[in-house]
Amino acid sequence: MEEKKDDRSFMLKLATFIVDKRNGVFLAFIGMLVFCLFAQGWVAVCDDITQYLPGDSETRQGLTLMEDEVTTYATARVMVSNISRERASEIAAGLESIEGISAAAFLDEDSDVPLTAEDIGEHYRLASALFDVTFEGEEGDEICESAMAELKQRLAGYDLYISSPVGSSEADLLDAEMNIVMLVAVVIIVSVLLFTSKTYMEIPVLLMTFGSAAMINKGTNFLMGEISYITDSVAVVLQLALAIDYAIILCHRYTEEREHLDAHDAVSVALSKAIPEISASSLTTISGMVAMMFMQFGIGRDMGVVLVKAILCSLLSVFTLMPGLLMLFSKQIDRTHHRSFVPKIDKWGKIVLKTRFVLPLLFLFALGGGFYFSNRCPYVYGESTLSTAKQNEVQIAEKKVDSTFGQTNIMALMVPAGDYEKEGRLLRELETWEEFSLVQGLANTEAKDGYMVTDKLSPRQFAELADVDIEAARLLYTAYAVDQEEYGRIVGSLDSYDVPLIDIFLFLYNMKEDGYVDLDEDAESEINDLYEQLSDGKKQLQGENYTRILLKLNLPEESPETFAFLKEIHQAAEKYYDHCYLVGDSTSDYDLATSFSRDNIVISVLSALFVIIVLLFTFQSAGLPVLLIAVIQSSVWINFSFPYLTGTNLFFLSYLIVSSIQMGANIDYAIVISNRYMELKKEMPIKEAIVETLNQSFPTIVTSGTILTAAGLLIGQLSSNPAISSIGVCLGRGTIISMLLVMSVLPQILLLGDTIIERTAFTLKKPDIVQTGTGALRVNGHVRGYVQGVVNAEIHGSIQGRISAVVDVGAMEPETEYDLLPGPSGSAPANGKEDGQL
């Protein structure tokens, strides 16, 4: 018996295989979900945005150097309001007694030097006291966390405000906020789906599909080793907004096929049709995310990889898990059909037609204005000038402290170590600059009696300072010279041997610890105290190869004046050293501003280029992709005109991320409109095709657009992090603008540019050949011409009579066998061709 040939398409075979193996798919997903439930706890989240600066940037190199060379103790600005100076002094003494706190700087009421109004204003004003607390460990150390907890407990009864990274995790705060965002987003999404769905039961299927994709993406983030707190906080919400329409497409395909097929075949056919459609749609979104990966600033690569993985996980869930869920709940889906709540928008389509010569002109003005204003957008590169709709406790406290005592702008200058005299000259020069309120290094740190810790002392000077016998001092200097292998000093005049105070003192302490020096109880106590101060200072200010100079600027963290002043600091340091590194929030902002100039161009060009390539293959036309890109790019420019027009600062990262997402994701709306129009204009006049296109596209666009808009605005309103809030606001606003342009201006551009689209199509049109014939003719193709009258139609069959027409597709040839039909006058037409066939 001959085996029957399977003439199904590859896509249908693949879809049928997936549906038939649904139980195996269920088991595989259960295994992956259980694994990812545990694996998401392995994901390391980085709170420090400077970790993603380019490796060759000054800030990144300087921070790495600081981490290797010196110790940076954690600090806190602690403000207690509604308190007297006397009580504040008592509190300061109490704070220093807490284990883990090395200092709580306040007014020195016991100082021999009278306090000036300026001195008092630095720590006490408006009945508020400010304590500069220094911990005994670095940020994140357990001793700092426990000390902060003890501090809060002791001051619980006061009006307390604390500005410090100790005891507060940015990642934890964001995680809690994003959980709220996700909860509200799910409620909004369910509401939108109820409005746009065709059956109630498809909503749980959609949520299970997306939930699985989100869990798998989150669980597999551990493969990256570490991700930024920005990526970790927004990835799930953005995945939901960007990819849920893939599941909606498959669901709608299934309900269409279910009308005339059983559940199994309906799912198989729907999946076979949805895979190419969804894959093509996802390519534009993926291309936008890939463009982000080319940023110098590492956040782009970090977020780009996670979001591309999120889209791939969503595709995996839609193509493999969802078909099985549709089969599993097919009966419930059939029983829960409801009428469509999405209204017809014929009236809107007619308005679009009537205004097709007006709106495009206004659009051109908006495009030009958007380009002009967006290029003047007030970008900022730090978070100090940004505000959010919601503020957490840490932000409220920081704002209160800053408003009372002013903001602090601390920087560190790293210079080569080993030359105290050179360092001292640099410090003395910087101390004369009015832009600094503090210049602190080893060379200007007082040890005792007016001596700086790096001053060179002779044996006699050291004996007087340390209150020891001169002979003992000479013996100490002799031992030091031997240790340093400077034997000439022993033979020569030892009394002229000058040694930096810090070096000779630390040598003395080590000799005492080794048992070579015996001191009385008072001297030993004094040396121990001085050693503790010197060793702590050296840990913070001097490393093996580099010395750190602390600078407190009287300039804002971010301004043109500040950025220009950074160059002056470099010029001053480079008079004494071949190279140096300046580190701080201001230099970080400057480095980000420098990389933004390059990243802005790269993102704009690559995202547009990638999308154009996808559109070229999708529409096989050179003109149509340009029209679509023009609409979406204009929506990007208009979106980022708002900060300039409203005088609101915009975080630079918001532009880079949102412009990529807007170009990659919102272009899908334009593709939906264009696809529908290109199909419908073959069946009806182009004006009617435009109206029907808007009708058919509205449910898809309003569903996807509303979800993305809601996700963005929720992030903007419910996140206290300025960077993330700014991303959310821009994303929500940009999606609204894209939807409006796609539903109004784009159809008009397609209508007016129809000739351009046709003329720039890649398919080569054959020259029109007029074919003539008389009698019974077999016609198979699109006919334009006369068939006993004018005909312009798809004809598949026989015609009797005279034909003189253009057959665009197919052919015309004599019919050899036919039933004779009466002609117009009752006579039969002649058989065969007349005048030949062309």
Side-chain angles (χ1 to χ4, degrees):
M1 184 175 183
E2 185 177 350
E3 185 177 346
K4 186 176 180 180
K5 184 179 179 181
D6 188 353
D7 57 356
R8 295 177 302 169
S9 67
F10 168 78
M11 203 59 69
L12 183 56
K13 293 177 184 178
L14 176 62
T16 303
F17 176 81
I18 293 172
V19 174
D20 289 342
K21 303 299 181 182
R22 57 187 178 277
N23 290 331
V25 171
F26 289 155
L27 288 175
F29 266 85
I30 290 173
M32 285 190 291
L33 291 174
V34 171
F35 172 80
C36 290
L37 184 63
F38 291 99
Q40 63 182 338
W42 307 340
V43 181
V45 178
C46 178
D47 289 355
D48 185 7
I49 197 172
T50 62
Q51 294 288 340
Y52 297 92
L53 285 168
D56 58 353
S57 66
E58 181 181 19
T59 301
R60 183 64 265 152
Q61 291 179 349
L63 287 171
T64 302
L65 196 63
M66 282 173 52
E67 292 170 2
D68 295 338
E69 293 278 332
V70 296
T71 300
T72 303
Y73 290 120
T75 60
R77 301 177 80 200
V78 179
M79 188 179 84
V80 178
S81 296
N82 305 312
I83 192 174
S84 65
R85 276 177 57 183
E86 292 74 15
R87 181 59 186 144
S89 296
E90 295 173 4
I91 289 176
L95 293 180
E96 289 185 343
S97 67
I98 296 176
E99 184 181 358
I101 293 180
S102 60
F106 187 61
L107 300 175
D108 188 0
E109 304 285 0
D110 300 327
S111 173
D112 296 333
V113 180
L115 294 172
T116 65
E118 184 178 355
D119 293 333
I120 296 173
E122 288 182 0
H123 287 279
Y124 188 84
R125 64 174 64 176
L126 303 175
S128 296
L130 179 66
F131 309 100
D132 290 324
V133 175
T134 303
F135 296 90
E136 294 179 356
E138 297 183 272
E139 184 182 326
D141 289 352
E142 186 177 348
I143 191 173
C144 300
E145 300 291 334
S146 59
M148 178 61 80
E150 176 67 18
L151 182 151
K152 290 179 179 178
Q153 184 177 353
R154 289 196 183 188
L155 301 180
Y158 294 92
D159 192 2
L160 179 66
Y161 302 93
I162 301 176
S163 175
S164 173
V166 178
S168 62
S169 171
E170 183 77 13
D172 292 341
L173 289 172
L174 280 175
D175 190 52
E177 290 173 354
M178 287 302 111
N179 287 336
I180 296 174
V181 169
M182 193 66 198
L183 180 62
V184 179
V186 169
V187 173
I188 292 176
I189 289 169
V190 170
S191 302
V192 172
L193 293 178
L194 283 172
F195 178 74
T196 59
S197 64
K198 297 181 180 180
T199 71
Y200 293 116
M201 193 58 205
E202 71 182 47
I203 296 175
V205 172
L206 294 174
L207 294 179
M208 283 188 281
T209 301
F210 171 77
S212 300
M215 178 66 74
I216 293 172
N217 185 53
K218 192 173 181 65
T220 53
N221 282 338
F222 82 93
L223 296 173
M224 296 182 63
E226 184 179 68
I227 63 174
S228 73
Y229 71 95
I230 295 177
T231 302
D232 183 62
S233 59
V234 301
V236 174
V237 180
L238 290 182
Q239 180 181 2
L240 171 62
L242 293 172
I244 196 171
D245 53 336
Y246 304 155
I248 293 173
I249 290 173
L250 177 57
C251 204
H252 286 179
R253 283 285 188 184
Y254 168 73
T255 53
E256 291 172 4
E257 300 297 334
R258 186 71 179 91
E259 293 178 0
H260 53 273
L261 295 173
D262 61 32
H264 179 276
D265 291 347
V267 175
S268 300
V269 173
L271 181 59
S272 68
K273 294 180 178 179
I275 288 177
E277 182 180 354
I278 294 171
S279 299
S281 176
S282 68
L283 285 177
T284 55
T285 307
I286 290 175
S287 64
M289 304 304 103
V290 170
M292 287 169 50
M293 298 181 195
F294 288 86
M295 288 168 53
Q296 282 184 312
F297 190 37
I299 286 286
R301 179 184 177 279
D302 183 73
M303 183 169 285
V305 171
V306 171
L307 289 181
V308 167
K309 183 161 62 67
I311 294 170
L312 294 177
C313 289
S314 298
L315 292 175
L316 177 68
S317 293
V318 170
F319 292 159
T320 60
L321 176 63
M322 190 173 175
L325 294 176
L326 289 173
M327 279 291 297
L328 185 64
F329 295 104
S330 60
K331 293 181 180 179
Q332 290 82 355
I333 293 174
D334 292 341
R335 289 199 295 264
T336 57
H337 275 275
H338 61 79
R339 69 179 182 84
S340 175
F341 300 115
V342 181
K344 292 286 186 179
I345 56 170
D346 292 323
K347 292 183 179 179
W348 174 252
K350 293 177 181 177
I351 292 174
V352 169
L353 276 179
K354 290 180 180 179
T355 58
R356 65 185 182 277
F357 298 110
V358 178
L359 274 185
L361 293 177
L362 297 177
F363 169 71
L364 289 177
F365 283 109
L367 189 151
F371 176 77
Y372 178 83
F373 293 128
S374 64
N375 282 324
R376 284 155 181 77
C377 186
Y379 296 110
V380 293
Y381 307 92
E383 298 181 357
S384 61
T385 61
L386 298 174
S387 59
T388 57
K390 179 185 176 182
Q391 290 191 326
N392 57 46
E393 293 182 2
V394 175
Q395 290 171 320
I396 294 172
E398 288 178 348
K399 187 176 181 181
K400 186 70 174 178
V401 173
D402 290 343
S403 64
T404 305
F405 290 96
Q407 290 182 328
T408 57
N409 188 6
I410 304 293
M411 305 189 68
L413 179 63
M414 300 293 293
V415 296
D419 193 331
Y420 292 133
E421 291 183 3
K422 191 182 292 185
E423 179 186 341
R425 292 198 300 270
L426 173 60
L427 285 168
R428 286 190 290 275
E429 178 179 342
L430 296 179
E431 284 177 324
T432 64
W433 294 11
E434 61 181 14
E435 289 87 355
F436 295 121
S437 60
L438 173 69
V439 177
Q440 185 69 58
L442 277 179
N444 68 347
T445 298
E446 185 176 356
K448 188 179 179 182
D449 299 339
Y451 284 108
M452 302 302 160
V453 297
T454 60
D455 285 349
K456 291 185 175 182
L457 274 65
S458 66
R460 183 170 297 280
Q461 289 173 315
F462 181 79
E464 293 173 355
L465 178 67
D467 194 20
V468 298
D469 183 74
I470 183 61
E471 293 303 324
R474 285 171 178 160
L475 286 174
L476 176 65
Y477 271 63
T478 301
Y480 181 83
V482 172
D483 183 71
Q484 299 295 313
E485 298 182 354
E486 297 180 352
Y487 304 110
R489 294 291 187 177
I490 302 173
V491 177
S493 177
L494 191 64
D495 286 340
S496 63
Y497 185 20
D498 294 332
V499 178
L501 171 59
I502 187 172
D503 294 342
I504 192 65
F505 180 82
L506 294 177
F507 179 75
L508 170 61
Y509 180 83
N510 291 331
M511 295 285 285
K512 177 185 76 69
E513 289 296 295
D514 293 339
Y516 294 111
V517 177
D518 292 326
L519 300 171
D520 59 43
E521 186 175 345
D522 291 340
E524 184 170 2
S525 176
E526 185 175 352
I527 287 179
N528 287 338
D529 290 342
L530 189 55
Y531 171 79
E532 187 176 345
Q533 296 176 28
L534 288 176
S535 61
D536 280 351
K538 188 170 183 180
K539 284 180 183 177
Q540 297 180 72
L541 297 177
Q542 188 179 58
E544 183 178 351
N545 302 299
Y546 281 84
T547 292
R548 175 163 64 177
I549 298 174
L550 296 178
L551 307 171
K552 185 176 181 181
L553 274 66
N554 297 322
L555 296 173
E557 175 188 321
E558 180 180 353
S559 71
E561 181 186 4
T562 303
F563 289 164
F565 184 64
L566 300 181
K567 298 179 181 179
E568 295 182 29
I569 299 175
H570 270 286
Q571 291 171 358
E574 288 167 1
K575 289 190 297 184
Y576 304 95
Y577 299 97
D578 293 334
H579 64 279
C580 63
Y581 298 94
L582 193 58
V583 182
D585 290 337
S586 293
T587 53
S588 173
D589 295 345
Y590 179 75
D591 286 338
L592 291 172
T594 303
S595 67
F596 174 70
S597 302
R598 181 257 188 195
D599 287 343
N600 186 12
I601 296 174
V602 170
I603 289 292
S604 301
V605 172
L606 289 183
S607 57
L609 180 63
F610 290 158
V611 170
I612 285 178
I613 291 173
V614 173
L615 295 180
L616 285 174
F617 283 99
T618 301
F619 292 106
Q620 296 291 300
S621 169
L624 185 56
V626 173
L627 296 178
L628 302 188
I629 289 292
V631 172
I632 298 301
Q633 183 60 62
S634 66
S635 73
V636 173
W637 287 336
I638 294 172
N639 184 19
F640 290 101
S641 297
F642 278 80
Y644 173 81
L645 297 173
T646 59
T648 306
N649 288 337
L650 178 68
F651 192 51
F652 80 104
L653 193 59
S654 304
Y655 176 81
L656 294 177
I657 292 176
V658 173
S659 61
S660 298
I661 294 176
Q662 201 173 341
M663 179 61 71
N666 292 174
I667 195 73
D668 284 349
Y669 309 154
I671 293 174
V672 169
I673 291 284
S674 303
N675 269 332
R676 295 282 185 178
Y677 171 71
M678 298 298 286
E679 293 173 2
L680 290 173
K681 76 173 187 175
K682 297 176 182 177
E683 305 172 5
M684 58 186 73
I686 55 177
K687 292 182 180 180
E688 295 179 16
I690 283 293
V691 175
E692 186 57 28
T693 293
L694 290 173
N695 249 333
Q696 294 184 13
S697 303
F698 179 66
T700 302
I701 294 175
V702 75
T703 303
S704 179
T706 302
I707 291 173
L708 189 54
T709 300
L713 295 182
L714 282 173
I715 292 173
Q717 296 300 312
L718 298 180
S719 174
S720 61
N721 181 273
I724 293 175
S725 176
S726 179
I727 291 172
V729 170
C730 293
L731 182 59
R733 184 177 61 221
T735 303
I736 293 174
I737 295 171
S738 297
M739 290 171 63
L740 290 175
L741 291 181
V742 164
M743 290 296 293
S744 57
V745 176
L746 178 60
Q748 297 172 334
I749 292 177
L750 292 176
L751 192 62
L752 298 175
D754 188 72
T755 302
I756 297 176
I757 296 172
E758 291 295 333
R759 289 182 180 275
T760 56
F762 292 159
T763 52
L764 298 176
K765 296 186 66 175
K766 298 178 181 179
D768 292 345
I769 299 179
V770 178
Q771 302 183 64
T772 61
T774 303
L777 303 169
R778 170 67 64 180
V779 179
N780 184 21
H782 186 80
V783 178
R784 288 181 292 116
Y786 290 92
V787 183
Q788 295 185 337
V790 179
V791 173
N792 186 357
E794 298 287 347
I795 298 177
H796 302 279
S798 299
I799 294 179
Q800 297 179 18
R802 180 179 176 81
I803 297 177
S804 178
V806 174
V807 182
D808 290 336
V809 181
M812 184 174 73
E813 56 188 20
E815 177 70 285
T816 56
E817 295 182 6
Y818 63 96
D819 295 329
L820 193 63
L821 299 176
S825 60
S827 60
N831 187 17
K833 295 182 185 177
E834 183 177 290
D835 301 330
Q837 180 175 330
L838 299 179

